[in-house]
Amino acid sequence: MEYLQLIGGLALLIFSGNYLVESASDIARKFKLSSLVIGLTIVSFGTSAPELLVSTSASLQGHPEIALGNVFGSNIVNVGFIMGLTSLLLPFTVSRDSIKIDVKVMLAFSLAALLFASDGHFSRIEGILLFATLVIYTIWLILKSKKTANDSAIEAPKRNILINSLILVASLAGLAFGSDFMVEGASTIAKNFGISEKVISVTVVAIGTSLPELTASLISVFKKEVGMTIGNVIGSNTFNIGAVLGISSSISPIEFDFSAFCSDIVWTLAFGVLLLIGMINVTKNMELMRDSGKISALWNANNGEIGRIWGFCCLAAYVTYTILLFI
């Protein structure tokens, strides 16, 4: 029965998450938002809804290891597996804003999570602070996009706002049911096999709840929506900490063993730094440094590109992380 709960919950999460992304993106286009901002906000928030529902449900049911493992495991999956696989299949360029601002905001949230987690407790105040910071950042992104919007470059919505709103509500209901099934199934399986809930959460649950991000990233790459691709991953990781961790700890403070999660949070930070390095075109910047004689050219943000070599290295790092979990 627990396997049916896990698989059924996962299927419902993927199905609902897909329609949530479609309807939310269509609503965003109605308000003339760019693909990068849609990726950083609507799509990333929509694809992270499974993490939000799973972590909140796990926290309320007294499973802090699933709640936290899902957040940090999903962030590692998003960069290590999703971005690694995406860039390996089809390298793509990234915008200056993604390098100069967005990925650094993501790293700042990861660092804040490490600092807040160091006492083995996520309090309501810390949760509220994380969520409030995310709200401010999101509002700033939208206002900034509205000022610089190029209406001709923004795709028209496919459905009217009423139909999209109904799909959005139905998708959220599906995510709610799916998350409950998945948490119950994962918890039971972990107990049956004597595997810790933490290991199950950072692998099976994290990969399962990250499948909407994988789908959205691959589709946006093949549609040449490169802004949405990188925006989806960076936005999802920022949302996972700011909203998923923020809201779940605001509702129910999370007590946990910091030593059990320290390495996962450090890996989350390390993958964030790896993403920043991958976004900077090292080859072109080295040529620029030789021509200009300035060492600052090494971190020039104008030549951003994520290539296949980085994708391969990122996937290798993710496999290494997964193997170390079971040693």
Side-chain angles (χ1 to χ4, degrees):
M1 187 64 187
E2 55 268 21
Y3 292 101
L4 289 176
Q5 285 181 314
L6 183 66
I7 295 170
L10 176 58
L12 192 53
L13 284 172
I14 295 170
F15 180 80
S16 302
N18 180 57
Y19 279 99
L20 180 67
V21 170
E22 284 188 9
S23 57
S25 297
D26 230 24
I27 291 172
R29 290 190 181 96
K30 176 72 175 177
F31 294 98
K32 308 294 183 183
L33 298 180
S34 68
S35 63
L36 174 61
V37 172
I38 291 174
L40 282 166
T41 56
I42 305 298
V43 176
S44 62
F45 293 1
T47 56
S48 289
E51 283 93 334
L52 174 60
L53 273 297
V54 167
S55 288
T56 303
S57 177
S59 179
L60 291 172
Q61 291 178 34
H63 299 288
E65 291 195 335
I66 290 181
L68 292 179
N70 180 39
V71 169
F72 297 117
S74 292
N75 280 17
I76 291 169
V77 169
N78 285 346
V79 178
F81 180 67
I82 294 176
M83 283 304 303
L85 179 62
T86 301
S87 58
L88 193 62
L89 292 174
L90 188 62
F92 56 92
T93 58
V94 293
S95 72
R96 179 184 175 86
D97 280 351
S98 294
I99 299 171
K100 297 286 285 185
I101 302 171
D102 305 322
V103 73
K104 293 175 182 176
V105 170
M106 181 193 79
L107 285 169
F109 270 93
S110 299
L111 185 58
L114 177 60
L115 293 174
F116 290 161
S118 59
D119 61 354
H121 175 76
F122 276 107
S123 67
R124 281 196 174 92
I125 296 297
E126 290 168 342
I128 292 169
L129 181 59
L130 285 172
F131 183 61
T133 305
L134 178 68
V135 170
I136 293 169
Y137 171 60
T138 303
I139 292 172
W140 176 80
L141 273 177
I142 293 172
L143 293 176
K144 180 172 174 286
S145 175
K146 296 289 283 185
K147 287 181 181 178
T148 59
N150 178 5
D151 291 353
S152 62
I154 297 174
E155 185 181 340
K158 299 173 183 176
R159 292 182 289 258
N160 67 55
I161 196 165
L162 177 61
I163 293 175
N164 278 317
S165 298
L166 291 173
I167 294 173
L168 194 68
V169 171
S171 299
L172 287 170
L175 288 171
F177 284 110
S179 63
D180 276 342
F181 292 151
M182 196 167 185
V183 170
E184 289 177 13
S187 176
T188 305
I189 291 170
K191 291 175 182 176
N192 290 345
F193 283 92
I195 301 172
S196 72
E197 289 186 346
K198 180 237 176 179
V199 172
I200 289 291
S201 64
V202 298
T203 53
V204 178
V205 176
I207 291 172
T209 56
S210 292
L211 286 177
E213 282 94 335
L214 175 60
T215 303
S217 292
L218 291 175
I219 290 173
S220 58
V221 164
F222 288 115
K223 287 184 175 180
K224 306 300 182 183
E225 290 273 10
V226 293
M228 194 176 292
T229 303
I230 192 69
N232 177 35
V233 169
I234 294 175
S236 292
N237 281 18
T238 304
F239 182 86
N240 283 344
I241 294 175
V244 177
L245 188 56
I247 291 174
S248 57
S249 57
S250 298
I251 294 172
S252 177
I254 303 172
E255 304 281 348
F256 60 98
D257 179 8
F258 175 67
S259 62
F261 283 95
C262 181
S263 63
D264 302 286
I265 303 175
V266 171
W267 272 96
T268 300
L269 270 169
F271 272 105
V273 173
L274 184 62
L275 178 59
L276 176 58
I277 293 171
M279 291 166 70
I280 297 171
N281 194 320
V282 177
T283 303
K284 287 185 179 180
N285 285 355
M286 286 184 69
E287 292 175 359
L288 186 61
M289 184 185 69
R290 284 195 297 267
D291 294 339
S292 65
K294 296 179 180 178
I295 194 170
S296 60
L298 279 175
W299 50 84
N300 172 49
N302 294 323
N303 299 317
E305 183 179 36
I306 295 183
R308 286 194 171 92
I309 294 176
W310 180 87
F312 176 80
C313 292
C314 210
L315 282 172
Y318 177 71
V319 170
T320 301
Y321 162 75
T322 305
I323 291 171
L324 290 174
L325 284 173
F326 294 93
I327 294 177

